[in-house]
Amino acid sequence: MSATIKKAVKAQKTPKIKQTKMLINNKWVDPIEGGAFETYNPATGEVIAKVGAAGAKDVNLAVTAARNALEKGPWARMDAADRGKLLFKLADLIDANAEELAQLETYNCGKTITDSRGDLIGTANSLRYYAGWADKIEGRTVPVRGNFLSYTLRQPVGVVGQIIPWNFPLFMLAWKWGPALACGNTVVMKPAEQTPLTALRVGELAIEAGFPAGVINLVNGFGETTGDAMVVHPGIDKIAFTGHVETAKIIQKRAADTLKRTTFELGGKSPNVVFADCDMEQAVAGAFHAIYFHCGQCCTAGSRLFIEQKIHKEFVERLAAKAKQRKVGNPLDEATEQGPQVSQEQLDKILRYVDIGEREGARLVTGGSRKGNKGYFVEPTIFDGVRDSMTIAKDEIFGPVVSVLPFKDMGEVIERANNTNYGLAAAIWTKNIDKAHNYARAIKAGTIWVNCYHVVDTTTPFGGFKMSGQGRENGETALEHYTELKTVTVNLG
Ligand code: ADP
């Protein structure tokens, strides 16, 4: 282990863990069936808590609570504006406890404290955005033929099962709770098994905010057990899932028997295209951020870096110089720029891909190894001379590993950028306005960035083309996925 990491890990403070049970009907309860599982600090690999694991019977209790709240409780009769008030209150409580939550997020997820603080701001913003929507979800009057009055109502889908990943635990919670609750649904959420802790703390804040019993329920546990019990439960009307493509395929099949609604936000292998007419300084910094933000553990990571041949050599040199300087270490230390990967499993997977990249003939420019022997740290890694057919150019690695692919012209790069089953995000770096807009139009992806990267805002739709997802989160669009549309027709005589 390097001296810096050793020192940093020693210096780490221990955030308090206040809650490890399940939240059902506004009560903190132990599982009756599922037992418990261990959760870790990725910076050290040490167990930091045992968390209640929900079995099928526990999930059933949560669904029953959510169903009752949906149909019988005060939530069912509450004015839309008051649902908004509760979301505003929760956002305020999150702000008031933001530093505690950020530290806990870093402790369990490994993201740098700076990134966790950023996530907390985004979490509160997202809840506020949807709080504002609560009393603005409207139907229409429709000019039908004949002497009838026809109008539409937007009503809640019902009990919503929400299954989220470990890379943005609280941010993903907000993206899911905000629109679901603004629309009047009730929620059973399963956080990722790697990062169960911060959602539980926010569950405490939701009770404090005044959400009625059963509106928000939290069940932790593994995907194949707790998650699957949600997916097959006939009392859950919709599953909103963020995670891997392969998991989504399983969920879609398992949800078929109950024909429940599903929305998916999945992975990516996003093309990040740099033209010679870019602002080089800005593009190097942007490409760096695109891949290394949160250790490459973002579904939008700019993992296929296409560089125009004319500037290819210089660009890679500048990128490598930055990668070598990156401060990798204790994520609770404010000077740290890159923390650990989330788990041993992810660490092993990334190192396997590095090995495959080398074996398939890509040139390792920098990085490629684990950093230290405690915790799950990986060096920022660059592969140059990557060909489109190589595994590292095709698979989502979910780590700090970028594949550099040189290109000659626009037509070629658009074809190659689109040659993937994914379609979540893409970026272009150029000062030429025609190129930028032509690229934006031609790329099959849900988000296109021009001279920027990872700019995601709650107000704009987010989601994927092709295998990167179904439906959209954020913005007004998300409300459609959390409501059923009803037509009412009245005979006017
Ligand atoms: P990762 O490999 O990064 O954990 P997953 O797609 O497996 O990504 O996990 C995302 C979320 O999906 C997690 O909360 C996980 O527990 C859950 N999950 C995994 N498998 C299933 C499944 N078969 N059914 C329902 N949820 C699942």
Side-chain angles (χ1 to χ4, degrees), residues 163-166 190-194 221-229 231 241-248 250-251 254 345-346 349 398:
I163 301 176
I164 56 171
W166 46 260
K190 190 193 90 62
E193 58 270 32
Q194 295 85 351
F222 293 93
E224 301 75 25
T225 49
T226 319
D228 188 65
V231 172
F241 170 78
T242 300
H244 279 110
V245 169
E246 294 311 316
T247 315
I250 296 171
I251 289 177
R254 297 284 290 159
E345 192 187 344
Q346 291 298 316
K349 180 178 146 190
F398 232 61

PDB file of all heavy atoms in Angstrom, residues 163-166 190-194 221-229 231 241-248 250-251 254 345-346 349 398, ligand 1:
ATOM      1  N   ILE A 163     -36.132   0.128  -7.451  1.00  0.00           N
ATOM      2  CA  ILE A 163     -34.897  -0.636  -7.208  1.00  0.00           C
ATOM      3  C   ILE A 163     -33.730   0.185  -7.732  1.00  0.00           C
ATOM      4  O   ILE A 163     -33.679   0.508  -8.925  1.00  0.00           O
ATOM      5  CB  ILE A 163     -34.968  -2.007  -7.914  1.00  0.00           C
ATOM      6  CG1 ILE A 163     -36.173  -2.801  -7.389  1.00  0.00           C
ATOM      7  CG2 ILE A 163     -33.673  -2.775  -7.718  1.00  0.00           C
ATOM      8  CD1 ILE A 163     -36.403  -4.136  -8.086  1.00  0.00           C
ATOM      9  N   ILE A 164     -32.824   0.545  -6.831  1.00  0.00           N
ATOM     10  CA  ILE A 164     -31.775   1.503  -7.231  1.00  0.00           C
ATOM     11  C   ILE A 164     -30.365   0.913  -7.049  1.00  0.00           C
ATOM     12  O   ILE A 164     -30.178  -0.033  -6.301  1.00  0.00           O
ATOM     13  CB  ILE A 164     -31.926   2.854  -6.486  1.00  0.00           C
ATOM     14  CG1 ILE A 164     -31.915   2.675  -4.966  1.00  0.00           C
ATOM     15  CG2 ILE A 164     -33.186   3.565  -6.934  1.00  0.00           C
ATOM     16  CD1 ILE A 164     -31.833   3.980  -4.189  1.00  0.00           C
ATOM     17  N   PRO A 165     -29.390   1.501  -7.715  1.00  0.00           N
ATOM     18  CA  PRO A 165     -28.008   0.999  -7.656  1.00  0.00           C
ATOM     19  C   PRO A 165     -27.172   1.702  -6.588  1.00  0.00           C
ATOM     20  O   PRO A 165     -27.664   2.585  -5.880  1.00  0.00           O
ATOM     21  CB  PRO A 165     -27.491   1.342  -9.053  1.00  0.00           C
ATOM     22  CG  PRO A 165     -28.172   2.634  -9.368  1.00  0.00           C
ATOM     23  CD  PRO A 165     -29.516   2.598  -8.695  1.00  0.00           C
ATOM     24  N   TRP A 166     -25.889   1.349  -6.553  1.00  0.00           N
ATOM     25  CA  TRP A 166     -25.003   1.814  -5.487  1.00  0.00           C
ATOM     26  C   TRP A 166     -24.181   3.043  -5.871  1.00  0.00           C
ATOM     27  O   TRP A 166     -23.494   3.600  -5.035  1.00  0.00           O
ATOM     28  CB  TRP A 166     -24.046   0.688  -5.083  1.00  0.00           C
ATOM     29  CG  TRP A 166     -23.423  -0.009  -6.255  1.00  0.00           C
ATOM     30  CD1 TRP A 166     -23.821  -1.210  -6.783  1.00  0.00           C
ATOM     31  CD2 TRP A 166     -22.336   0.435  -7.074  1.00  0.00           C
ATOM     32  NE1 TRP A 166     -23.054  -1.542  -7.878  1.00  0.00           N
ATOM     33  CE2 TRP A 166     -22.121  -0.550  -8.079  1.00  0.00           C
ATOM     34  CE3 TRP A 166     -21.510   1.559  -7.060  1.00  0.00           C
ATOM     35  CZ2 TRP A 166     -21.130  -0.430  -9.058  1.00  0.00           C
ATOM     36  CZ3 TRP A 166     -20.524   1.679  -8.039  1.00  0.00           C
ATOM     37  CH2 TRP A 166     -20.338   0.685  -9.009  1.00  0.00           C
ATOM     38  N   LYS A 190     -36.049  -0.495  -2.727  1.00  0.00           N
ATOM     39  CA  LYS A 190     -34.910  -1.322  -2.331  1.00  0.00           C
ATOM     40  C   LYS A 190     -33.610  -0.634  -2.759  1.00  0.00           C
ATOM     41  O   LYS A 190     -33.301  -0.582  -3.951  1.00  0.00           O
ATOM     42  CB  LYS A 190     -34.963  -2.708  -2.976  1.00  0.00           C
ATOM     43  CG  LYS A 190     -33.919  -3.644  -2.362  1.00  0.00           C
ATOM     44  CD  LYS A 190     -33.704  -4.910  -3.147  1.00  0.00           C
ATOM     45  CE  LYS A 190     -32.628  -4.781  -4.180  1.00  0.00           C
ATOM     46  NZ  LYS A 190     -31.292  -4.475  -3.645  1.00  0.00           N
ATOM     47  N   PRO A 191     -32.851  -0.143  -1.785  1.00  0.00           N
ATOM     48  CA  PRO A 191     -31.525   0.378  -2.127  1.00  0.00           C
ATOM     49  C   PRO A 191     -30.615  -0.786  -2.553  1.00  0.00           C
ATOM     50  O   PRO A 191     -30.955  -1.951  -2.362  1.00  0.00           O
ATOM     51  CB  PRO A 191     -31.030   0.999  -0.816  1.00  0.00           C
ATOM     52  CG  PRO A 191     -32.264   1.189   0.019  1.00  0.00           C
ATOM     53  CD  PRO A 191     -33.186   0.079  -0.372  1.00  0.00           C
ATOM     54  N   ALA A 192     -29.460  -0.473  -3.104  1.00  0.00           N
ATOM     55  CA  ALA A 192     -28.516  -1.519  -3.492  1.00  0.00           C
ATOM     56  C   ALA A 192     -27.908  -2.171  -2.249  1.00  0.00           C
ATOM     57  O   ALA A 192     -27.711  -1.502  -1.229  1.00  0.00           O
ATOM     58  CB  ALA A 192     -27.416  -0.923  -4.353  1.00  0.00           C
ATOM     59  N   GLU A 193     -27.598  -3.438  -2.353  1.00  0.00           N
ATOM     60  CA  GLU A 193     -27.050  -4.158  -1.194  1.00  0.00           C
ATOM     61  C   GLU A 193     -25.676  -3.624  -0.778  1.00  0.00           C
ATOM     62  O   GLU A 193     -25.268  -3.775   0.360  1.00  0.00           O
ATOM     63  CB  GLU A 193     -26.983  -5.664  -1.462  1.00  0.00           C
ATOM     64  CG  GLU A 193     -26.169  -6.082  -2.672  1.00  0.00           C
ATOM     65  CD  GLU A 193     -27.003  -6.151  -3.949  1.00  0.00           C
ATOM     66  OE1 GLU A 193     -27.965  -5.360  -4.078  1.00  0.00           O
ATOM     67  OE2 GLU A 193     -26.686  -6.987  -4.816  1.00  0.00           O
ATOM     68  N   GLN A 194     -24.971  -2.977  -1.713  1.00  0.00           N
ATOM     69  CA  GLN A 194     -23.650  -2.417  -1.373  1.00  0.00           C
ATOM     70  C   GLN A 194     -23.790  -1.142  -0.541  1.00  0.00           C
ATOM     71  O   GLN A 194     -22.892  -0.808   0.222  1.00  0.00           O
ATOM     72  CB  GLN A 194     -22.876  -2.083  -2.662  1.00  0.00           C
ATOM     73  CG  GLN A 194     -22.514  -3.274  -3.525  1.00  0.00           C
ATOM     74  CD  GLN A 194     -23.640  -3.673  -4.479  1.00  0.00           C
ATOM     75  OE1 GLN A 194     -24.761  -3.171  -4.393  1.00  0.00           O
ATOM     76  NE2 GLN A 194     -23.342  -4.585  -5.378  1.00  0.00           N
ATOM     77  N   GLY A 221     -31.711  -5.529   0.908  1.00  0.00           N
ATOM     78  CA  GLY A 221     -31.454  -6.937   0.613  1.00  0.00           C
ATOM     79  C   GLY A 221     -30.898  -7.107  -0.779  1.00  0.00           C
ATOM     80  O   GLY A 221     -30.643  -6.134  -1.487  1.00  0.00           O
ATOM     81  N   PHE A 222     -30.737  -8.350  -1.168  1.00  0.00           N
ATOM     82  CA  PHE A 222     -30.103  -8.664  -2.454  1.00  0.00           C
ATOM     83  C   PHE A 222     -31.133  -8.670  -3.584  1.00  0.00           C
ATOM     84  O   PHE A 222     -32.334  -8.817  -3.363  1.00  0.00           O
ATOM     85  CB  PHE A 222     -29.387 -10.013  -2.363  1.00  0.00           C
ATOM     86  CG  PHE A 222     -28.212  -9.958  -1.437  1.00  0.00           C
ATOM     87  CD1 PHE A 222     -28.343 -10.300  -0.096  1.00  0.00           C
ATOM     88  CD2 PHE A 222     -26.985  -9.490  -1.886  1.00  0.00           C
ATOM     89  CE1 PHE A 222     -27.263 -10.203   0.774  1.00  0.00           C
ATOM     90  CE2 PHE A 222     -25.893  -9.391  -1.026  1.00  0.00           C
ATOM     91  CZ  PHE A 222     -26.040  -9.752   0.304  1.00  0.00           C
ATOM     92  N   GLY A 223     -30.607  -8.548  -4.792  1.00  0.00           N
ATOM     93  CA  GLY A 223     -31.475  -8.458  -5.959  1.00  0.00           C
ATOM     94  C   GLY A 223     -32.282  -9.717  -6.205  1.00  0.00           C
ATOM     95  O   GLY A 223     -33.489  -9.659  -6.447  1.00  0.00           O
ATOM     96  N   GLU A 224     -31.613 -10.854  -6.137  1.00  0.00           N
ATOM     97  CA  GLU A 224     -32.275 -12.116  -6.506  1.00  0.00           C
ATOM     98  C   GLU A 224     -33.341 -12.505  -5.484  1.00  0.00           C
ATOM     99  O   GLU A 224     -34.189 -13.357  -5.772  1.00  0.00           O
ATOM    100  CB  GLU A 224     -31.260 -13.265  -6.615  1.00  0.00           C
ATOM    101  CG  GLU A 224     -30.154 -13.056  -7.631  1.00  0.00           C
ATOM    102  CD  GLU A 224     -29.099 -12.058  -7.153  1.00  0.00           C
ATOM    103  OE1 GLU A 224     -28.933 -11.894  -5.920  1.00  0.00           O
ATOM    104  OE2 GLU A 224     -28.483 -11.411  -8.008  1.00  0.00           O
ATOM    105  N   THR A 225     -33.267 -11.949  -4.277  1.00  0.00           N
ATOM    106  CA  THR A 225     -34.251 -12.292  -3.235  1.00  0.00           C
ATOM    107  C   THR A 225     -35.224 -11.125  -3.026  1.00  0.00           C
ATOM    108  O   THR A 225     -36.356 -11.159  -3.512  1.00  0.00           O
ATOM    109  CB  THR A 225     -33.526 -12.658  -1.929  1.00  0.00           C
ATOM    110  OG1 THR A 225     -32.558 -11.632  -1.640  1.00  0.00           O
ATOM    111  CG2 THR A 225     -32.844 -14.003  -2.049  1.00  0.00           C
ATOM    112  N   THR A 226     -34.754 -10.079  -2.347  1.00  0.00           N
ATOM    113  CA  THR A 226     -35.630  -8.942  -2.048  1.00  0.00           C
ATOM    114  C   THR A 226     -36.146  -8.291  -3.336  1.00  0.00           C
ATOM    115  O   THR A 226     -37.347  -8.037  -3.487  1.00  0.00           O
ATOM    116  CB  THR A 226     -34.855  -7.882  -1.225  1.00  0.00           C
ATOM    117  OG1 THR A 226     -34.054  -8.540  -0.245  1.00  0.00           O
ATOM    118  CG2 THR A 226     -35.799  -6.921  -0.555  1.00  0.00           C
ATOM    119  N   GLY A 227     -35.219  -8.022  -4.256  1.00  0.00           N
ATOM    120  CA  GLY A 227     -35.604  -7.360  -5.509  1.00  0.00           C
ATOM    121  C   GLY A 227     -36.603  -8.208  -6.283  1.00  0.00           C
ATOM    122  O   GLY A 227     -37.633  -7.703  -6.751  1.00  0.00           O
ATOM    123  N   ASP A 228     -36.297  -9.472  -6.405  1.00  0.00           N
ATOM    124  CA  ASP A 228     -37.186 -10.348  -7.168  1.00  0.00           C
ATOM    125  C   ASP A 228     -38.566 -10.444  -6.510  1.00  0.00           C
ATOM    126  O   ASP A 228     -39.592 -10.476  -7.206  1.00  0.00           O
ATOM    127  CB  ASP A 228     -36.562 -11.744  -7.304  1.00  0.00           C
ATOM    128  CG  ASP A 228     -37.364 -12.612  -8.244  1.00  0.00           C
ATOM    129  OD1 ASP A 228     -37.424 -12.293  -9.450  1.00  0.00           O
ATOM    130  OD2 ASP A 228     -37.974 -13.598  -7.770  1.00  0.00           O
ATOM    131  N   ALA A 229     -38.597 -10.486  -5.173  1.00  0.00           N
ATOM    132  CA  ALA A 229     -39.892 -10.549  -4.478  1.00  0.00           C
ATOM    133  C   ALA A 229     -40.741  -9.326  -4.825  1.00  0.00           C
ATOM    134  O   ALA A 229     -41.978  -9.407  -4.928  1.00  0.00           O
ATOM    135  CB  ALA A 229     -39.676 -10.644  -2.966  1.00  0.00           C
ATOM    136  N   VAL A 231     -40.432  -7.602  -7.744  1.00  0.00           N
ATOM    137  CA  VAL A 231     -40.751  -7.674  -9.177  1.00  0.00           C
ATOM    138  C   VAL A 231     -41.949  -8.601  -9.438  1.00  0.00           C
ATOM    139  O   VAL A 231     -42.792  -8.311 -10.294  1.00  0.00           O
ATOM    140  CB  VAL A 231     -39.509  -8.145  -9.976  1.00  0.00           C
ATOM    141  CG1 VAL A 231     -39.857  -8.423 -11.426  1.00  0.00           C
ATOM    142  CG2 VAL A 231     -38.405  -7.101  -9.890  1.00  0.00           C
ATOM    143  N   PHE A 241     -36.557   0.893 -12.237  1.00  0.00           N
ATOM    144  CA  PHE A 241     -35.268   0.247 -11.977  1.00  0.00           C
ATOM    145  C   PHE A 241     -34.115   1.047 -12.573  1.00  0.00           C
ATOM    146  O   PHE A 241     -34.199   1.517 -13.712  1.00  0.00           O
ATOM    147  CB  PHE A 241     -35.284  -1.162 -12.595  1.00  0.00           C
ATOM    148  CG  PHE A 241     -33.947  -1.847 -12.607  1.00  0.00           C
ATOM    149  CD1 PHE A 241     -33.441  -2.439 -11.457  1.00  0.00           C
ATOM    150  CD2 PHE A 241     -33.179  -1.892 -13.767  1.00  0.00           C
ATOM    151  CE1 PHE A 241     -32.196  -3.069 -11.465  1.00  0.00           C
ATOM    152  CE2 PHE A 241     -31.933  -2.519 -13.781  1.00  0.00           C
ATOM    153  CZ  PHE A 241     -31.452  -3.111 -12.631  1.00  0.00           C
ATOM    154  N   THR A 242     -33.051   1.171 -11.822  1.00  0.00           N
ATOM    155  CA  THR A 242     -31.793   1.674 -12.371  1.00  0.00           C
ATOM    156  C   THR A 242     -30.716   0.645 -12.057  1.00  0.00           C
ATOM    157  O   THR A 242     -30.559   0.238 -10.905  1.00  0.00           O
ATOM    158  CB  THR A 242     -31.407   3.033 -11.755  1.00  0.00           C
ATOM    159  OG1 THR A 242     -32.446   3.975 -12.053  1.00  0.00           O
ATOM    160  CG2 THR A 242     -30.103   3.554 -12.342  1.00  0.00           C
ATOM    161  N   GLY A 243     -29.996   0.205 -13.081  1.00  0.00           N
ATOM    162  CA  GLY A 243     -28.956  -0.803 -12.868  1.00  0.00           C
ATOM    163  C   GLY A 243     -28.463  -1.323 -14.197  1.00  0.00           C
ATOM    164  O   GLY A 243     -28.498  -0.609 -15.214  1.00  0.00           O
ATOM    165  N   HIS A 244     -28.071  -2.576 -14.218  1.00  0.00           N
ATOM    166  CA  HIS A 244     -27.459  -3.145 -15.413  1.00  0.00           C
ATOM    167  C   HIS A 244     -28.457  -3.728 -16.405  1.00  0.00           C
ATOM    168  O   HIS A 244     -29.534  -4.169 -16.026  1.00  0.00           O
ATOM    169  CB  HIS A 244     -26.433  -4.198 -15.001  1.00  0.00           C
ATOM    170  CG  HIS A 244     -25.140  -3.566 -14.597  1.00  0.00           C
ATOM    171  ND1 HIS A 244     -24.704  -3.541 -13.300  1.00  0.00           N
ATOM    172  CD2 HIS A 244     -24.213  -2.898 -15.325  1.00  0.00           C
ATOM    173  CE1 HIS A 244     -23.560  -2.876 -13.248  1.00  0.00           C
ATOM    174  NE2 HIS A 244     -23.246  -2.475 -14.454  1.00  0.00           N
ATOM    175  N   VAL A 245     -28.037  -3.749 -17.645  1.00  0.00           N
ATOM    176  CA  VAL A 245     -28.877  -4.276 -18.722  1.00  0.00           C
ATOM    177  C   VAL A 245     -29.308  -5.715 -18.435  1.00  0.00           C
ATOM    178  O   VAL A 245     -30.486  -6.063 -18.586  1.00  0.00           O
ATOM    179  CB  VAL A 245     -28.114  -4.229 -20.069  1.00  0.00           C
ATOM    180  CG1 VAL A 245     -28.852  -4.998 -21.142  1.00  0.00           C
ATOM    181  CG2 VAL A 245     -27.910  -2.796 -20.506  1.00  0.00           C
ATOM    182  N   GLU A 246     -28.354  -6.532 -18.004  1.00  0.00           N
ATOM    183  CA  GLU A 246     -28.685  -7.943 -17.791  1.00  0.00           C
ATOM    184  C   GLU A 246     -29.730  -8.085 -16.686  1.00  0.00           C
ATOM    185  O   GLU A 246     -30.610  -8.946 -16.763  1.00  0.00           O
ATOM    186  CB  GLU A 246     -27.421  -8.754 -17.456  1.00  0.00           C
ATOM    187  CG  GLU A 246     -26.419  -8.824 -18.605  1.00  0.00           C
ATOM    188  CD  GLU A 246     -27.047  -9.231 -19.953  1.00  0.00           C
ATOM    189  OE1 GLU A 246     -27.857 -10.177 -19.949  1.00  0.00           O
ATOM    190  OE2 GLU A 246     -26.756  -8.587 -20.982  1.00  0.00           O
ATOM    191  N   THR A 247     -29.642  -7.248 -15.671  1.00  0.00           N
ATOM    192  CA  THR A 247     -30.641  -7.286 -14.593  1.00  0.00           C
ATOM    193  C   THR A 247     -32.005  -6.849 -15.131  1.00  0.00           C
ATOM    194  O   THR A 247     -33.030  -7.448 -14.799  1.00  0.00           O
ATOM    195  CB  THR A 247     -30.218  -6.368 -13.425  1.00  0.00           C
ATOM    196  OG1 THR A 247     -28.840  -6.582 -13.149  1.00  0.00           O
ATOM    197  CG2 THR A 247     -31.038  -6.633 -12.185  1.00  0.00           C
ATOM    198  N   ALA A 248     -31.995  -5.833 -15.955  1.00  0.00           N
ATOM    199  CA  ALA A 248     -33.263  -5.328 -16.521  1.00  0.00           C
ATOM    200  C   ALA A 248     -33.952  -6.408 -17.351  1.00  0.00           C
ATOM    201  O   ALA A 248     -35.189  -6.532 -17.326  1.00  0.00           O
ATOM    202  CB  ALA A 248     -33.007  -4.089 -17.367  1.00  0.00           C
ATOM    203  N   ILE A 250     -33.796  -9.600 -16.880  1.00  0.00           N
ATOM    204  CA  ILE A 250     -34.408 -10.549 -15.927  1.00  0.00           C
ATOM    205  C   ILE A 250     -35.691  -9.942 -15.368  1.00  0.00           C
ATOM    206  O   ILE A 250     -36.743 -10.583 -15.312  1.00  0.00           O
ATOM    207  CB  ILE A 250     -33.428 -10.874 -14.772  1.00  0.00           C
ATOM    208  CG1 ILE A 250     -32.195 -11.589 -15.310  1.00  0.00           C
ATOM    209  CG2 ILE A 250     -34.116 -11.702 -13.687  1.00  0.00           C
ATOM    210  CD1 ILE A 250     -31.072 -11.748 -14.285  1.00  0.00           C
ATOM    211  N   ILE A 251     -35.607  -8.671 -14.982  1.00  0.00           N
ATOM    212  CA  ILE A 251     -36.777  -8.013 -14.366  1.00  0.00           C
ATOM    213  C   ILE A 251     -37.935  -7.979 -15.359  1.00  0.00           C
ATOM    214  O   ILE A 251     -39.088  -8.264 -14.994  1.00  0.00           O
ATOM    215  CB  ILE A 251     -36.400  -6.594 -13.870  1.00  0.00           C
ATOM    216  CG1 ILE A 251     -35.476  -6.715 -12.653  1.00  0.00           C
ATOM    217  CG2 ILE A 251     -37.645  -5.775 -13.529  1.00  0.00           C
ATOM    218  CD1 ILE A 251     -34.964  -5.396 -12.104  1.00  0.00           C
ATOM    219  N   ARG A 254     -39.432 -11.389 -15.469  1.00  0.00           N
ATOM    220  CA  ARG A 254     -40.102 -11.753 -14.212  1.00  0.00           C
ATOM    221  C   ARG A 254     -41.351 -10.892 -13.978  1.00  0.00           C
ATOM    222  O   ARG A 254     -42.265 -11.311 -13.275  1.00  0.00           O
ATOM    223  CB  ARG A 254     -39.132 -11.587 -13.037  1.00  0.00           C
ATOM    224  CG  ARG A 254     -37.920 -12.499 -13.123  1.00  0.00           C
ATOM    225  CD  ARG A 254     -38.235 -13.920 -12.752  1.00  0.00           C
ATOM    226  NE  ARG A 254     -38.514 -14.084 -11.340  1.00  0.00           N
ATOM    227  CZ  ARG A 254     -39.188 -15.114 -10.827  1.00  0.00           C
ATOM    228  NH1 ARG A 254     -39.664 -16.052 -11.623  1.00  0.00           N
ATOM    229  NH2 ARG A 254     -39.379 -15.208  -9.532  1.00  0.00           N
ATOM    230  N   GLU A 345     -15.862  -6.988  -5.812  1.00  0.00           N
ATOM    231  CA  GLU A 345     -16.376  -7.519  -7.079  1.00  0.00           C
ATOM    232  C   GLU A 345     -16.097  -6.546  -8.240  1.00  0.00           C
ATOM    233  O   GLU A 345     -15.642  -6.943  -9.315  1.00  0.00           O
ATOM    234  CB  GLU A 345     -17.880  -7.722  -6.917  1.00  0.00           C
ATOM    235  CG  GLU A 345     -18.516  -8.527  -8.013  1.00  0.00           C
ATOM    236  CD  GLU A 345     -20.047  -8.536  -7.859  1.00  0.00           C
ATOM    237  OE1 GLU A 345     -20.554  -8.183  -6.782  1.00  0.00           O
ATOM    238  OE2 GLU A 345     -20.703  -8.890  -8.841  1.00  0.00           O
ATOM    239  N   GLN A 346     -16.352  -5.268  -8.000  1.00  0.00           N
ATOM    240  CA  GLN A 346     -16.112  -4.267  -9.045  1.00  0.00           C
ATOM    241  C   GLN A 346     -14.622  -4.128  -9.324  1.00  0.00           C
ATOM    242  O   GLN A 346     -14.201  -4.012 -10.471  1.00  0.00           O
ATOM    243  CB  GLN A 346     -16.707  -2.912  -8.638  1.00  0.00           C
ATOM    244  CG  GLN A 346     -18.219  -2.887  -8.606  1.00  0.00           C
ATOM    245  CD  GLN A 346     -18.853  -3.166  -9.971  1.00  0.00           C
ATOM    246  OE1 GLN A 346     -18.426  -2.643 -10.986  1.00  0.00           O
ATOM    247  NE2 GLN A 346     -19.856  -4.027  -9.994  1.00  0.00           N
ATOM    248  N   LYS A 349     -13.531  -7.024 -11.396  1.00  0.00           N
ATOM    249  CA  LYS A 349     -14.068  -6.919 -12.751  1.00  0.00           C
ATOM    250  C   LYS A 349     -13.234  -5.933 -13.590  1.00  0.00           C
ATOM    251  O   LYS A 349     -12.880  -6.210 -14.737  1.00  0.00           O
ATOM    252  CB  LYS A 349     -15.531  -6.453 -12.655  1.00  0.00           C
ATOM    253  CG  LYS A 349     -16.231  -6.305 -13.983  1.00  0.00           C
ATOM    254  CD  LYS A 349     -17.690  -5.888 -13.770  1.00  0.00           C
ATOM    255  CE  LYS A 349     -18.135  -4.990 -14.890  1.00  0.00           C
ATOM    256  NZ  LYS A 349     -19.421  -4.347 -14.681  1.00  0.00           N
ATOM    257  N   PHE A 398     -17.355   0.176 -16.068  1.00  0.00           N
ATOM    258  CA  PHE A 398     -17.780   0.815 -14.814  1.00  0.00           C
ATOM    259  C   PHE A 398     -16.597   1.066 -13.884  1.00  0.00           C
ATOM    260  O   PHE A 398     -16.671   0.831 -12.678  1.00  0.00           O
ATOM    261  CB  PHE A 398     -18.857  -0.033 -14.131  1.00  0.00           C
ATOM    262  CG  PHE A 398     -20.076   0.778 -13.780  1.00  0.00           C
ATOM    263  CD1 PHE A 398     -20.822   1.404 -14.768  1.00  0.00           C
ATOM    264  CD2 PHE A 398     -20.487   0.922 -12.454  1.00  0.00           C
ATOM    265  CE1 PHE A 398     -21.947   2.160 -14.452  1.00  0.00           C
ATOM    266  CE2 PHE A 398     -21.607   1.678 -12.125  1.00  0.00           C
ATOM    267  CZ  PHE A 398     -22.331   2.290 -13.135  1.00  0.00           C
TER     268      PHE A 398
HETATM  269  P1  ADP B   1     -24.671  -4.125  -9.923  1.00  0.00           P
HETATM  270  O1  ADP B   1     -24.075  -5.329 -10.608  1.00  0.00           O
HETATM  271  O2  ADP B   1     -23.925  -2.902 -10.137  1.00  0.00           O
HETATM  272  O3  ADP B   1     -25.008  -4.365  -8.505  1.00  0.00           O
HETATM  273  P2  ADP B   1     -27.407  -4.558 -10.665  1.00  0.00           P
HETATM  274  O4  ADP B   1     -28.176  -4.256 -11.886  1.00  0.00           O
HETATM  275  O5  ADP B   1     -27.153  -6.006 -10.350  1.00  0.00           O
HETATM  276  O6  ADP B   1     -26.030  -3.810 -10.734  1.00  0.00           O
HETATM  277  O7  ADP B   1     -28.054  -3.904  -9.387  1.00  0.00           O
HETATM  278  C1  ADP B   1     -28.876  -2.770  -9.366  1.00  0.00           C
HETATM  279  C2  ADP B   1     -30.009  -3.009  -8.397  1.00  0.00           C
HETATM  280  O8  ADP B   1     -30.782  -4.096  -8.879  1.00  0.00           O
HETATM  281  C3  ADP B   1     -29.560  -3.412  -6.999  1.00  0.00           C
HETATM  282  O9  ADP B   1     -30.440  -2.837  -6.051  1.00  0.00           O
HETATM  283  C4  ADP B   1     -29.707  -4.919  -7.023  1.00  0.00           C
HETATM  284  O10 ADP B   1     -29.895  -5.499  -5.748  1.00  0.00           O
HETATM  285  C5  ADP B   1     -30.955  -5.078  -7.871  1.00  0.00           C
HETATM  286  N1  ADP B   1     -31.097  -6.392  -8.505  1.00  0.00           N
HETATM  287  C6  ADP B   1     -30.129  -7.236  -8.929  1.00  0.00           C
HETATM  288  N2  ADP B   1     -30.661  -8.365  -9.447  1.00  0.00           N
HETATM  289  C7  ADP B   1     -32.007  -8.253  -9.348  1.00  0.00           C
HETATM  290  C8  ADP B   1     -33.108  -9.088  -9.703  1.00  0.00           C
HETATM  291  N3  ADP B   1     -32.939 -10.286 -10.256  1.00  0.00           N
HETATM  292  N4  ADP B   1     -34.363  -8.643  -9.462  1.00  0.00           N
HETATM  293  C9  ADP B   1     -34.565  -7.427  -8.905  1.00  0.00           C
HETATM  294  N5  ADP B   1     -33.566  -6.603  -8.549  1.00  0.00           N
HETATM  295  C10 ADP B   1     -32.300  -6.990  -8.766  1.00  0.00           C
END
